[in-house]
């Protein structure tokens, strides 16, 4: 039986995307060597039209600043829309189809549903061990979205802050891991720089 483990609430919410990105760069210093010399120029309007929703500004800044795929600790993979291929990226249904199956099979006390359901889950990262890192969407807008972790072991848990702050705290070791392994500070990046 799947279990909602709980919610982790850090003391401080980093609402400024630049501060969240700086915290991530401190947690994973190798990340800075992959920084683009100019912003990627992703067509966010096209991404939003395809998805039917805007994405959080901390994620957008991370996507604009780094290559199309960043892997933390040879474990956690965060992908971004490749400039010029935003529509194909946003229309790829694979992660949402897998998530829909997980939500359907989950036997949690709190119902879980994929986006576009109200409060639905939207994938933003995966692990090499089939964990999913999701936004819990809300009517308050994308910068108020929080993170839900769907562990391959069946446990679900929430992190009451944004995705980039989650990455920074996961890598720095300030989070309880709750069915995740420790994430090393090593970083790899793939795609156009």
């Amino acid at each position: 039986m799947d279990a909602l483990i709980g919610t982790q609430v850090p003391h401080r919410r980093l609402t400024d995307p630049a501060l969240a990105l700086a915290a991530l760069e401190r947690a994973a210093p190798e990340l800075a060597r992959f920084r683009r010399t100019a912003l990627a120029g992703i067509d966010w309007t096209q991404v939003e039209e395809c998805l039917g929703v805007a994405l959080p500004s901390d994620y957008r800044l991370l996507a604009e600043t780094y290559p199309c795929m960043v892997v933390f600790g040879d474990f956690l993979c965060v992908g971004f829309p490749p400039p010029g291929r935003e529509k194909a990226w946003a229309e790829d249904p694979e992660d949402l189809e897998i998530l829909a199956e997980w939500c359907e099979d989950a036997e949690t006390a709190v119902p879980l549903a994929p986006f576009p359901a109200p409060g639905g889950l939207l994938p933003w990262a995966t692990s090499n061990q089939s964990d999913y890192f999701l936004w819990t969407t809300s009517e308050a807008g994308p910068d108020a979205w929080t993170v839900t972790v769907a562990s391959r072991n069946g446990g679900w848990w929430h992190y009451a802050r944004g995705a980039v702050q989650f990455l920074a705290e996961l890598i720095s070791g300030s989070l309880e891991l709750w069915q995740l392994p420790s994430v090393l500070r090593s970083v790899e990046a793939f795609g156009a720089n």
Side-chain angles (χ1 to χ4, degrees):
M1 178 166 162
D2 295 341
L4 180 59
I5 298 167
T7 300
Q8 293 189 48
V9 182
H11 299 293
R12 180 176 170 218
R13 182 178 189 116
L14 299 176
T15 56
D16 180 337
L19 291 177
L21 186 58
L24 178 57
E25 289 174 337
R26 281 190 305 278
E30 286 185 34
L31 183 61
R33 71 183 169 112
F34 297 106
R35 185 181 270 270
R36 294 176 183 270
T37 55
L39 296 180
I42 297 167
D43 184 346
W44 291 106
T45 301
Q46 189 173 51
V47 171
E48 292 166 13
E49 287 173 0
C50 292
L51 290 176
V53 68
L55 297 179
S57 55
D58 63 336
Y59 174 84
R60 289 169 50 148
L61 180 60
L62 185 63
E64 288 287 348
T65 306
Y66 289 100
C68 299
M69 174 71 69
V70 178
V71 180
F72 296 95
D74 196 30
F75 171 73
L76 196 150
C77 309
V78 185
F80 310 114
R85 296 191 328 219
E86 293 89 347
K87 185 175 182 182
W89 181 87
E91 290 179 341
D92 183 2
E94 183 180 358
D95 286 341
L96 280 175
E97 289 170 0
I98 292 169
L99 179 60
E101 289 175 18
W102 281 26
C103 288
E104 188 176 304
D105 294 342
E107 297 177 15
T108 60
V110 177
L112 301 169
F115 180 82
L121 302 171
L122 187 61
W124 60 270
T126 59
S127 80
N128 63 5
Q129 297 178 7
S130 301
D131 302 292
Y132 272 81
F133 302 87
L134 315 155
W135 285 298
T136 301
T137 61
S138 75
E139 291 181 9
D143 288 336
W145 293 356
T146 58
V147 171
T148 295
V149 177
S151 167
R152 69 196 172 284
N153 298 321
W156 296 69
W157 55 280
H158 302 293
Y159 172 79
R161 300 294 181 256
V164 176
Q165 184 174 354
F166 171 84
L167 289 170
E169 293 188 0
L170 179 67
I171 294 165
S172 72
S174 16
L175 286 181
E176 289 185 51
L177 296 175
W178 290 356
Q179 298 190 353
L180 293 176
S182 295
V183 178
L184 302 175
R185 294 174 183 253
S186 63
V187 179
E188 293 180 85
F190 306 94
N193 204 5

